[in-house]
Amino acid sequence: MIDRQKIVVIDDELQMRRFLKACFDPAEVELLEAETASEGMRLVAKENPDVVLLDLGLPDVDGIDVTKQLREWTRVPIIVLSARGREKDKIEALDAGADDYLTKPFGVGELQARIRVTLRHMNQTKGPNADPTFESGGLKVDLSMRRVAVDGKEVHLTPIEFKLLTMLVRHSGMVLTHKQLLSEVWGPAYADETHYLRVYMGQLRHKLEADPARPRHITTEPGVGYRLLAD
């Protein structure tokens, strides 16, 4: 018998909690509900869930602060579900430690896909293979051998291009903010130098994409960052 996934929902809207409950088969997912940040954090500590679905507009503590507090002691995947659709809010949540961000309203299929990607990423980071081989849509990246191929043909990348691609591969399917990419590849002092990122991401796309103007591997999250799509 397969263990049920355990998901903690922290959202003060009853209607949204009912919608989320209807998204999952109760035989496969145990959904635990909290209306406030304090109640939700206690539930996460007690139940050790597989995923946390977090609203930002909570009555007692803002969801950004909840994310920061959870990240002080747990790596549980956090997917923000919020009516706040501004780039600033998305960036703030992701930089605070959220794994993904969905703007309300959203579809059941998209939510389920984001959860699958987040759990897959979590399992990869827990696994013994720290340098996996990534394959998706004709793109193959062997991080241990530092080799990249598109449709079987080897592609030569500069050290910075490879470092960027490595970051995207290690978080495949998830959005990485400009700040996260810049800080990791160039260093914290370059966290605001978004033009560096634009130039190198353009070069990377020209080498990896059949049509750089219509990328199928590296997609842009407007104003927020980039995402490497995974099959």
Side-chain angles (χ1 to χ4, degrees), residues 104-122:
K104 299 174 182 177
F106 49 82
V108 174
E110 185 176 11
L111 172 62
Q112 292 174 339
R114 297 288 182 91
I115 290 174
R116 285 196 300 272
V117 166
T118 302
L119 288 173
R120 185 163 65 239
H121 175 256
M122 193 69 180

Side-chain angles (χ1 to χ4, degrees), residues 213-225:
R214 293 183 174 183
R216 63 191 180 104
H217 298 301
I218 302 171
T219 62
T220 300
E221 297 286 332
V224 178

Side-chain angles (χ1 to χ4, degrees), residues 159-193:
I160 287 181
E161 289 167 354
F162 187 80
K163 201 169 181 181
L164 266 177
L165 184 58
T166 296
M167 274 285 287
L168 291 166
V169 164
R170 286 183 171 153
H171 299 84
S172 59
M174 304 170 69
V175 61
L176 289 172
T177 66
H178 299 137
K179 183 179 178 181
Q180 288 169 332
L181 287 164
L182 286 161
S183 297
E184 183 69 25
V185 176
W186 283 274
Y190 294 84
D192 297 322
E193 305 292 340

Side-chain angles (χ1 to χ4, degrees), residues 136-150:
S136 179
L139 173 64
K140 183 176 181 179
V141 183
D142 187 331
L143 296 180
S144 58
M145 299 298 292
R146 298 181 67 85
R147 287 180 179 167
V148 180
V150 176

Side-chain angles (χ1 to χ4, degrees), residues 54-57 80-85 89 101-106:
L54 174 66
D55 181 35
L56 294 184
V80 168
L81 310 177
S82 178
R84 302 179 196 172
D89 296 310
Y101 193 114
L102 273 172
T103 304
K104 299 174 182 177
F106 49 82

